[in-house]
Amino acid sequence: MKQFFTLLLLVFSGTILAQDISINSTSSKVFKDNKKHTSLEFSEKDGNGGFITIRTYYGGMMRLPKGYYIEHYDKDLNLVKETEMEIDKNQIQGMMVENGKIFIMESVLDKKADKFYYNVLESSLDAFDFKKKTLLALDESEVKKYFGFGIGIFFITNGWDQADSNSLGEVTFSSNRNFFCVNFDIKDKKTQTQRLYVYDKQFNKVFEKEFKRNVKDRLFEYENIDVDDETGAVYLLGKVYENNSKKSKKKGKANYHYELHKITATDQQNVSFKTDAKFVGSLFTVLGENGISCAGFYSDKNDYRYKGACRFNIDTNTMDITSKSFKPFTPEFVTEKYGKLKDKELRDLSLRNSFITPEGDIVINAEEHYITWTNPGMNGGSSRPIYHYNDIVSIRMNAAGDLLWARNINKRQATGGINYEYLSFSSTMVNDDTYLFINCSDKIRKLRNDRIEFKQVKSKKSNLYAIKIDKDGNYTFKSIVDDKDTEVPYFVRQGISTSNYGDEMVFIGRRKSKKQFLKLNVQ
């Protein structure tokens, strides 16, 4: 073990381990926008080596969203075309690039007509002359109003989600974009209600369904939706609280359970995951080539601690659970995190993303994310939140539910809301290898018992690192962009994969008014 970490510490100097990571980077020219603050929302390949991006731009003291920059870059990251779209009771919900055309899904609130419209804006990549087509319209009173276009969005981008994610029509694509679902949370306090519209890639409506669950809205927490790429079937996962209470624990047992609902044009089936002896703190769907699974983290104590990983495999025809497993973190993982074996459960794990291989292996990447508050006396009588983005937890489970490996990447990052875009991480999976992208100091800290920790540094001094975890759980890391070689640090939490194969990532960076795009191609 000592020899392993000694070698690992030498990776920064360019030893043989670093050669295991092969990533090509391409940067755009440094440019300036009219608006200082922007965030990368969507990015997709254009089919010729370049990509299309959509960025939200903000203005005012509260950084309220004011509009969008829509841009086309070629394979060398030269700007080909750009346009701007102001926000006027509208919001972009999704984007698709297909056969030389760009399609933008847009929700619009029309106060005069008391209507809520969902439109598709279509243009060729050459022209950017968008033509509008209305997909559907709803009465405004039917749809839950979003938690403000200002403060609500600010908190969400800082990791504090105070609003329903699908109240304005969340768009979810199937894996190869043959289908997509528009999902609305409908206003109904007595019954959890969601309206689902499924379309094919030609924007023909496949079916429309109203999903109802006989439970009060506040007692049902929507988790996520997956869309089958061959049939357009929708899989909706939710967390249901019991005994008319949102307490997570009653009489020592879990006071909630998860439910998975399969919704098609003609049928609706469901399966419930009730585990009295275990507290499943987080669960999400992973749809692969051979079926659907629900995976996450569990605890023996309560719903915000984590002892290990769990997995449920479901037969998509019968919606029966074919197998389930609860696997505790390995002693090696615990030692890697704490420096010694400890009878301690993790806290505050937030899922960042997940991947599934053709063989059915699931990789979960999560982060220790939580919020603390400053002492009111230190800030003129007011308290402010501090957002923490600490250790990365990456695990891999096979189709049978065995825990193949679990790795803890020691990391300490925190912010009071300024420069939050530079923190956290992005990840992708290429073939059997997992890649994590983080910003940190070039001085990797050595911990006790042959461990290392990536240290936070001021954004303008941060390096962009890639961490590679192979199929056997071994990891190496490499500096991809040195702060001395770039004018801007990059927003790692906004990294977007533009490829179904995960082999291309796009980032944007900023320093004051300067901005720059970065494209990473994993070899």
Side-chain angles (χ1 to χ4, degrees):
M1 182 65 74
K2 275 191 174 183
Q3 290 177 340
F4 172 75
F5 279 102
T6 300
L7 285 171
L8 197 57
L9 285 168
L10 292 173
V11 172
F12 178 74
S13 301
T15 64
I16 190 168
L17 285 178
Q19 295 175 9
D20 290 338
I21 299 180
S22 179
I23 296 177
N24 292 332
S25 63
T26 308
S27 301
S28 72
K29 294 179 180 178
V30 175
F31 61 92
K32 294 183 180 181
D33 295 321
N34 292 330
K35 302 295 183 181
K36 177 179 178 181
H37 299 288
T38 68
S39 62
L40 182 60
E41 305 292 345
F42 307 99
S43 183
E44 275 209 45
K45 285 186 174 183
D46 66 358
N48 296 305
F51 56 82
I52 311 296
T53 63
I54 298 179
R55 290 182 291 139
T56 303
Y57 61 80
Y58 303 85
M61 292 185 63
M62 294 295 293
R63 292 194 191 179
L64 303 183
K66 298 294 185 180
Y68 300 97
Y69 291 125
I70 305 169
E71 297 157 314
H72 181 194
Y73 289 85
D74 66 18
K75 62 183 180 61
D76 298 315
L77 268 63
N78 297 309
L79 180 62
V80 177
K81 200 79 176 176
E82 64 180 330
T83 190
E84 187 176 332
M85 182 187 299
E86 291 186 356
I87 289 178
D88 181 20
K89 298 182 179 61
N90 64 312
Q91 184 171 339
I92 291 179
Q93 304 289 348
M95 177 180 71
M96 182 173 68
V97 178
E98 187 82 15
N99 297 325
K101 293 184 178 181
I102 175 175
F103 303 92
I104 295 175
M105 291 74 167
E106 171 199 51
S107 59
V108 181
L109 180 61
D110 187 335
K111 283 284 189 180
K112 292 183 180 179
D114 200 26
K115 288 283 187 180
F116 191 88
Y117 293 101
Y118 219 89
N119 304 320
V120 174
L121 310 179
E122 177 183 343
S123 170
S124 68
L125 293 179
D126 298 329
F128 270 25
D129 54 347
F130 290 94
K131 303 295 189 299
K132 179 165 53 179
K133 171 186 175 183
T134 297
L135 277 184
L136 59 96
L138 299 172
D139 290 334
E140 180 192 348
S141 59
E142 290 185 288
V143 184
K144 279 186 175 178
K145 292 183 179 178
Y146 200 70
F147 189 76
F149 264 129
I151 295 176
I153 285 183
F154 176 81
F155 282 136
I156 287 172
T157 52
N158 277 272
W160 188 17
D161 192 343
Q162 292 283 337
D164 285 328
S165 62
N166 58 338
S167 53
L168 284 184
E170 175 192 59
V171 173
T172 303
F173 288 95
S174 63
S175 58
N176 293 310
R177 306 211 160 199
N178 286 322
F179 299 94
F180 68 93
C181 175
V182 182
N183 171 26
F184 291 94
D185 196 343
I186 302 300
K187 200 169 189 176
D188 190 340
K189 291 183 179 180
K190 294 182 180 180
T191 305
Q192 170 63 28
T193 306
Q194 288 176 238
R195 190 166 295 171
L196 310 171
Y197 297 83
V198 176
Y199 296 86
D200 62 21
K201 63 168 55 177
Q202 286 78 36
F203 300 97
N204 301 307
K205 186 164 73 173
V206 179
F207 70 88
E208 168 190 345
K209 267 292 181 70
E210 190 165 85
F211 166 76
K212 284 183 175 288
R213 176 63 171 84
N214 188 24
V215 63
K216 293 180 180 178
D217 183 271
R218 68 181 184 88
L219 299 177
F220 185 98
E221 290 184 0
Y222 161 77
E223 296 293 331
N224 71 280
I225 271 180
D226 261 312
V227 183
D228 188 276
D229 196 59
E230 294 185 1
T231 66
V234 172
Y235 295 90
L236 186 152
L237 182 68
K239 183 179 183 180
V240 183
Y241 287 90
E242 302 166 359
N243 300 305
N244 199 32
S245 170
K246 286 207 75 171
K247 288 186 177 180
S248 60
K249 188 176 183 179
K250 283 212 170 186
K251 297 181 180 180
K253 295 183 178 182
N255 188 50
Y256 62 86
H257 65 274
Y258 286 88
E259 294 178 350
L260 180 66
H261 297 262
K262 179 183 178 181
I263 302 160
T264 67
T266 59
D267 196 14
Q268 185 171 317
Q269 301 168 275
N270 68 82
V271 60
S272 176
F273 310 103
K274 178 63 176 173
T275 54
D276 288 334
K278 306 288 185 185
F279 293 85
V280 180
S282 65
L283 201 68
F284 50 91
T285 57
V286 186
L287 186 60
E289 297 178 4
N290 300 313
I292 192 165
S293 299
C294 291
F297 298 100
Y298 78 94
S299 167
D300 287 338
K301 297 179 180 179
N302 48 48
D303 67 333
Y304 60 87
R305 295 179 182 238
Y306 302 94
K307 184 182 182 66
C310 59
R311 176 171 180 168
F312 302 85
N313 293 327
I314 298 101
D315 185 317
T316 55
N317 293 317
T318 65
M319 291 301 288
D320 292 331
I321 299 174
T322 57
S323 64
K324 60 182 176 180
S325 64
F326 295 88
K327 299 297 182 181
F329 294 125
T330 62
E332 292 80 10
F333 172 87
V334 175
T335 302
E336 187 173 61
K337 179 169 182 57
Y338 299 110
K340 60 182 179 180
L341 282 176
K342 297 182 70 173
D343 185 19
K344 185 177 181 179
E345 295 190 347
L346 279 67
R347 297 169 62 101
D348 307 307
L349 279 183
S350 294
L351 172 74
R352 295 303 181 207
N353 49 31
S354 61
F355 306 95
I356 188 166
T357 69
E359 297 74 31
D361 289 6
I362 290 176
V363 172
I364 303 171
N365 296 319
E367 186 174 42
E368 287 185 297
H369 172 57
Y370 57 93
I371 303 168
T372 59
W373 295 83
T374 60
N375 188 326
M378 298 172 59
N379 195 29
S382 63
S383 181
R384 63 185 180 88
I386 302 295
Y387 302 93
H388 299 265
Y389 303 90
N390 290 342
D391 291 4
I392 299 171
V393 173
S394 185
I395 68 105
R396 183 165 181 158
M397 303 183 81
N398 65 15
D402 300 317
L403 184 61
L404 299 179
W405 49 257
R407 297 307 305 255
N408 185 83
I409 310 298
N410 292 285
K411 176 171 70 73
R412 293 289 180 272
Q413 296 176 320
T415 180
I418 300 173
N419 295 335
Y420 58 86
E421 306 102 327
Y422 304 100
L423 306 185
S424 191
F425 72 97
S426 294
S427 62
T428 187
M429 189 172 186
V430 182
N431 299 322
D432 265 330
D433 299 323
T434 300
Y435 291 84
L436 314 170
F437 301 95
I438 66 171
N439 282 325
C440 66
S441 168
D442 59 2
K443 296 175 181 172
I444 310 300
R445 182 185 175 195
K446 184 176 181 180
L447 305 176
R448 289 184 301 169
N449 296 327
D450 299 314
R451 298 179 299 137
I452 61 172
E453 180 181 80
F454 295 96
K455 296 175 59 179
Q456 183 173 348
V457 69
K458 290 182 179 180
S459 58
K460 63 182 180 180
K461 292 290 185 181
S462 65
N463 292 359
L464 177 63
Y465 275 81
I467 302 170
K468 173 186 171 182
I469 309 177
D470 68 20
K471 64 178 181 179
D472 298 317
N474 303 310
Y475 86 81
T476 58
F477 63 90
K478 181 181 180 180
S479 177
I480 301 299
V481 179
D482 191 282
D483 74 283
K484 299 179 182 64
D485 299 327
T486 181
E487 294 187 55
V488 304
Y490 294 99
F491 297 174
V492 289
R493 65 176 293 149
Q494 292 183 14
I496 296 177
S497 174
T498 63
S499 165
N500 286 343
Y501 303 103
D503 57 351
E504 181 176 288
M505 296 286 291
V506 170
F507 299 85
I508 190 169
R510 175 177 63 82
R511 178 172 293 163
K512 295 183 178 180
S513 60
K514 294 180 178 179
K515 301 181 182 70
Q516 187 176 36
F517 277 103
L518 174 71
K519 180 174 69 172
L520 299 181
N521 292 102
V522 182
Q523 304 301 301

